[in-house]
Amino acid sequence: KNQVEQSPQSLIILEGKNCTLQCNYTVSPFSNLRWYKQDTGRGPVSLTIMTFSENTKSNGRYTATLDADTKQSSLHITASQLSDSASYICVVSAARLTGGGNKLTFGTGTQLKVEL
Amino acid sequence: ETGVTQSPTHLIKTRGQQVTLRCSSQSGHNTVSWYQQALGQGPQFIFQYYREEENGRGNFPPRFSGLQFPNYSSELNVNALELDDSALYLCASSFGPLVTKTGELFFGEGSRLTVL
């Protein structure tokens, strides 16, 4: 069964500090991995998309890493801001050779709170 | 702004009633996917519509049905509402069904359904 597990479940950090969120997956065959930011009660917004061959991808203060061998990804947030308070969701896509449909598997997210 | 709009933003229904949720996809996108997100959980795939036809379905009963129109907007219909149907319903649009490609998936802000 395809699964995506994220840790920690929640995290509180002080403004200006860095943090790293983890994502482990068992999705197969792997196609790509996405990180989304979801503010409370809003729709998710894409941060990064990485394929099998990409180890690192940055989007401003967000840097995602991918180790396809160990099936792990991390999202590093640098110099956190109050506006970074949100849920961060890891989404893994399985390749499909036949048939259709959306084979994205979502993690349950890490709830990040940035405080003064 | 992702260009994906959903309506209504909030609604309250009672058990046994029926509900229709609407989604307008981003300009140029021909694929709409629907997700159910319970509180504190990641989104769960309901189904996807590609060029007006259902193109894959998650583990949801037949009382969850949908439509896609020639302009690629979409509806999600839920019959015989149950208490557990209370959730945030997210619509996402893309160009193509995202089978193996890394195309962007843009989410709307969601429709918050409460079933009493």
Side-chain angles (χ1 to χ4, degrees):
Chain A
K1 181 181 177 182
N2 290 337
Q3 286 189 314
V4 175
E5 295 184 353
Q6 294 188 242
S7 61
Q9 186 174 15
S10 62
L11 181 62
I12 301 175
I13 62 173
L14 295 177
E15 186 182 30
K17 298 297 186 181
N18 304 333
C19 66
T20 300
L21 315 180
Q22 300 291 341
C23 172
N24 297 333
Y25 62 91
T26 58
V27 175
S28 181
F30 176 82
S31 175
N32 58 77
L33 184 146
R34 305 159 186 255
W35 282 94
Y36 282 87
K37 177 186 178 186
Q38 185 175 24
D39 293 318
T40 301
R42 308 288 297 274
V45 175
S46 178
L47 296 175
T48 63
I49 303 174
M50 288 187 294
T51 60
F52 183 89
S53 60
E54 295 175 296
N55 300 119
T56 303
K57 187 166 263 189
S58 293
N59 178 1
R61 294 180 296 103
Y62 301 101
T63 299
T65 65
L66 173 64
D67 185 335
D69 292 331
T70 61
K71 298 186 177 181
Q72 295 180 326
S73 176
S74 66
L75 180 69
H76 186 74
I77 304 175
T78 305
S80 61
Q81 300 176 359
L82 296 178
S83 60
D84 292 332
S85 296
S87 177
Y88 291 83
I89 303 175
C90 176
V91 184
V92 183
S93 175
R96 289 189 64 160
L97 300 180
T98 60
N102 186 329
K103 292 299 290 183
L104 301 182
T105 303
F106 287 72
T108 57
T110 291
Q111 188 67 46
L112 174 65
K113 185 174 182 181
V114 180
E115 295 181 338
L116 290 171
Chain B
E1 294 294 329
T2 63
V4 180
T5 58
Q6 293 187 242
S7 63
T9 55
H10 296 81
L11 69 166
I12 300 173
K13 293 285 188 178
T14 57
R15 277 187 304 174
Q17 285 189 310
Q18 179 266 345
V19 68
T20 296
L21 308 179
R22 296 177 176 83
C23 172
S24 294
S25 58
Q26 186 181 70
S27 178
H29 283 183
N30 56 16
T31 305
V32 172
S33 303
W34 286 93
Y35 295 86
Q36 180 195 66
Q37 186 177 25
L39 201 61
Q41 301 296 315
Q44 298 293 316
F45 175 62
I46 302 175
F47 44 56
Q48 180 186 77
Y49 279 85
Y50 173 54
R51 294 182 176 178
E52 302 180 56
E53 292 192 0
E54 188 176 293
N55 186 49
R57 188 179 184 93
N59 190 26
F60 280 81
R63 61 188 183 85
F64 285 78
S65 64
L67 284 173
Q68 187 177 34
F69 300 99
N71 66 355
Y72 302 125
S73 65
S74 178
E75 286 183 355
L76 164 65
N77 299 291
V78 187
N79 295 321
L81 284 167
E82 300 176 0
L83 296 180
D84 285 348
D85 295 334
S86 296
L88 180 68
Y89 288 84
L90 294 166
C91 162
S93 84
S94 58
F95 183 74
L98 278 177
V99 174
T100 58
K101 299 186 186 303
T102 56
E104 279 287 1
L105 185 68
F106 292 104
F107 285 87
E109 298 292 3
S111 294
R112 171 71 65 185
L113 172 65
T114 301
V115 182
L116 302 176

